[in-house]
Amino acid sequence: NKGTYKHYMQKEIHEQPESLTTTLRGRLLRGGSWKAKTVLLGGLKDHLKTIRRSRRIVFIGCGTSYNAALAARPIMEELSGVPVTMEIASDLLDRQGLIYREDTVVFVSQSGETADTLLALEYALENGALCVGITNTVGSVIARNTHCGVHINAGCEIGVASTKAYTSQIAVMAMLALAIGADTISKQERREAIIDGLFDLPNKIREVLKLDQEMKDLAKLLIAEQSLLVFGRGYNYATALEGALKVKEVALMHSEGILAGEMKHGPLALVDENLPIVVIATRDACFRLVWFLRNYVILLLSTAWHRHLLISNSKQQSVIQQLRARKGRLIVMCSKGDAASVCPGGGCRVIEVPQVEDCLQPVVNIVPFQLLAYHLTVLRGYNVDQPRNLAKSVTTQ
Ligand code: UD1
Ligand code: F6R
């Protein structure tokens, strides 16, 4: 039932405040003043010790589910202290890549039925790894055949393009990182900030959904384009890939997500005054403090983590400068209030989004791309819910 919406994709984009609320329900515990804030993932509590002791955490998925895992990778590494590697399911199988008994392998799948992901699961089980599922479908093959896991509880997703499952998958993987890292005392403050951020996430999504009309206007501008590039880095490299995937699969427009650090190694050659380029340059939470103080002594005294964030953000500013120097047609996604500083002198189109805890920023940042892809598709007259040649669940190899 689409209710008041014209398409399932539109409905699923707009119901993300609710789907995220259900994903988080009962899993975030905010104790009294003397009690620490914690995360409870019922399906994992007996396996956390094994996961903490593992030699690697390997994320496996396809398409949007892979992108969600990529978005969660930095926070998983930071909080767990365990190296995290990424595998596209089909590529792991093609290579017969190495999976060890000491690995924890996390299978991310909305449907829980994707053939490549299922085969990768069989392969990891044969190799003796602990297999964890992150699925939306209770009773699906992946949910049944993994040793343990978490249901994302995003509700049934009908549009072929995955939207609400993506944001819930990232939220679940952030909670997974919090649960795995829960015994590291030095990170308690950071964990609590993320838990507060998760509590507030549905409100922030409500806020970013107000960009609907702005994204429709942008879609009108882009309607006749052949191609769209999306540059992102750090927490938002995944946003670039997933934003481009949405535009590609439903609006049938060529679109490419590019790791901004790779710009000079090839993609820069494409830049001219015609090709539209989106640059994701939202602030990381800790950076704001350093930025306002503009005090390099403080920068020198700050922790390695703060420095890393400052560097990552200023790198994105330099990407913008270099693209502008080549007369690139820029659309910059930045944090609220930053329009003037990300694009001094004007000349870029700016999308301002609410700022959240850095590792949750990809959940907010993907929403304008979902809206853009949706409106582009409708304006171009294509089928939104059933894109050409695609199926919701890819059950064959
Ligand atoms: C569970 C109940 C939920 C109930 C809650 C109350 C189910 C499906 N969930 O939620 O209805 O409100 O307890 O405490 O009955 N699993 C896998 N692989 C996967 C996903 C899940 O093995 O890919 C396993 C988990 O390890 C767990 C079970 O399935 O044993 C249920 O997982 P999940 O729904 O995430 O657990 P809870 O959130 O505790
Ligand atoms: C894109 C999309 C696909 C799926 C992929 C994996 O919008 O829906 O890329 O994400 O086919 O599907 P699941 O998550 O069901 O394993």
Side-chain angles (χ1 to χ4, degrees):
N1 189 329
K2 292 196 278 268
T4 54
Y5 295 100
K6 289 202 188 82
H7 303 100
Y8 284 110
M9 181 182 180
Q10 184 190 29
K11 172 176 178 273
E12 286 159 7
I13 293 171
H14 286 273
E15 74 189 13
Q16 287 177 105
E18 292 73 40
S19 54
L20 277 164
T21 303
T22 347
T23 298
L24 302 171
R25 184 168 296 142
R27 291 169 166 170
L28 299 177
L29 308 175
R30 260 207 284 214
S33 52
W34 51 274
K35 241 181 159 182
K37 293 164 189 164
T38 50
V39 159
L40 177 74
L41 296 172
L44 285 187
K45 54 182 192 314
D46 300 333
H47 297 85
L48 287 173
K49 266 196 192 145
T50 319
I51 301 176
R52 286 181 194 130
R53 279 200 305 259
S54 48
R55 165 172 168 171
R56 282 192 306 179
I57 295 171
V58 184
F59 277 133
I60 302 189
C62 304
T64 292
S65 294
Y66 174 88
N67 292 342
L70 189 65
R73 180 194 201 180
I75 194 61
M76 183 59 84
E77 278 192 328
E78 183 197 334
L79 295 185
S80 71
V82 180
V84 179
T85 61
M86 302 292 308
E87 292 284 0
I88 291 177
S90 65
D91 187 51
L92 176 78
L93 296 164
D94 289 345
R95 293 185 350 261
Q96 294 287 293
L98 295 175
I99 297 289
Y100 301 103
R101 302 176 52 86
E102 302 83 1
D103 288 336
T104 292
V105 188
V106 182
F107 294 87
V108 188
S109 174
Q110 187 284 129
S111 62
E113 307 283 349
T114 300
D116 287 326
T117 313
L118 268 173
L119 288 169
L121 170 59
E122 277 171 27
Y123 178 74
L125 287 168
E126 278 164 22
N127 286 282
L130 174 71
C131 295
V132 181
I134 309 281
T135 46
N136 194 29
T137 318
V138 178
S140 62
V141 186
I142 293 176
R144 280 187 279 118
N145 293 2
T146 40
H147 294 118
C148 59
V150 189
H151 289 114
I152 66 167
N153 299 340
C156 185
E157 193 180 60
I158 293 169
V160 167
S162 185
T163 52
K164 61 176 182 170
Y166 179 73
T167 45
S168 286
Q169 284 167 336
I170 302 176
V172 162
M173 284 183 271
M175 288 193 283
L176 180 58
L178 289 162
I180 297 172
D183 58 355
T184 318
I185 291 162
S186 63
K187 298 222 164 89
Q188 182 61 22
E189 218 177 296
R190 168 88 166 135
R191 280 198 304 272
E192 295 203 3
I194 298 169
I195 293 173
D196 288 339
L198 282 166
F199 266 111
D200 201 32
L201 204 49
N203 284 332
K204 297 292 192 210
I205 300 298
R206 238 165 247 130
E207 209 176 315
V208 76
L209 279 167
K210 292 184 187 149
L211 291 174
D212 192 33
Q213 185 57 45
E214 206 175 313
M215 291 302 112
K216 190 172 178 183
D217 295 343
L218 181 59
K220 283 180 191 156
L221 277 183
L222 299 178
I223 183 169
E225 295 300 334
Q226 300 284 320
S227 190
L228 177 74
L229 299 189
V230 188
F231 282 100
R233 73 186 326 130
Y235 295 108
N236 286 291
Y237 172 38
T239 312
L241 295 187
E242 175 61 10
L245 178 59
K246 288 293 88 106
V247 170
K248 186 177 346 194
E249 71 175 328
V250 284
L252 314 189
M253 179 191 286
H254 168 252
S255 184
E256 212 181 312
I258 298 173
L259 183 66
E262 283 289 286
M263 180 180 72
K264 287 184 189 162
H265 304 288
L268 199 51
L270 291 171
V271 179
D272 61 14
E273 58 276 15
N274 301 316
L275 174 67
I277 302 175
V278 185
V279 181
I280 305 164
T282 42
R283 285 186 182 205
D284 298 315
C286 307
F287 173 62
R288 185 171 285 276
L289 172 73
V290 184
W291 177 259
F292 278 127
L293 295 173
R294 288 187 187 227
N295 181 333
Y296 284 92
V297 178
I298 289 190
L299 173 61
L300 289 173
L301 294 176
S302 62
T303 61
W305 184 244
H306 285 87
R307 271 201 298 279
H308 148 80
L309 291 173
L310 176 69
I311 291 160
S312 142
N313 193 281
S314 61
K315 278 183 184 166
Q316 216 44 354
Q317 300 269 13
S318 115
V319 164
I320 295 172
Q321 277 164 15
Q322 294 181 40
L323 291 170
R324 291 185 79 189
R326 283 156 189 89
K327 304 206 164 34
R329 210 177 131 196
L330 297 195
I331 301 151
V332 180
M333 179 180 283
C334 67
S335 306
K336 254 190 193 146
D338 276 0
S341 62
V342 290
C343 190
C348 320
R349 203 180 165 97
V350 176
I351 306 166
E352 288 189 71
V353 298
Q355 188 182 343
V356 293
E357 198 62 21
D358 48 20
C359 60
L360 304 176
Q361 196 68 52
V363 179
V364 170
N365 289 4
I366 196 59
V367 175
F369 286 100
Q370 297 171 342
L371 293 168
L372 175 66
Y374 170 76
H375 289 299
L376 259 178
T377 311
V378 174
L379 290 168
R380 284 160 72 103
Y382 296 127
N383 189 330
V384 181
D385 289 329
Q386 286 280 309
R388 185 173 74 190
N389 307 336
L390 297 182
K392 180 69 186 159
S393 185
V394 185
T395 50
T396 52
Q397 260 192 303

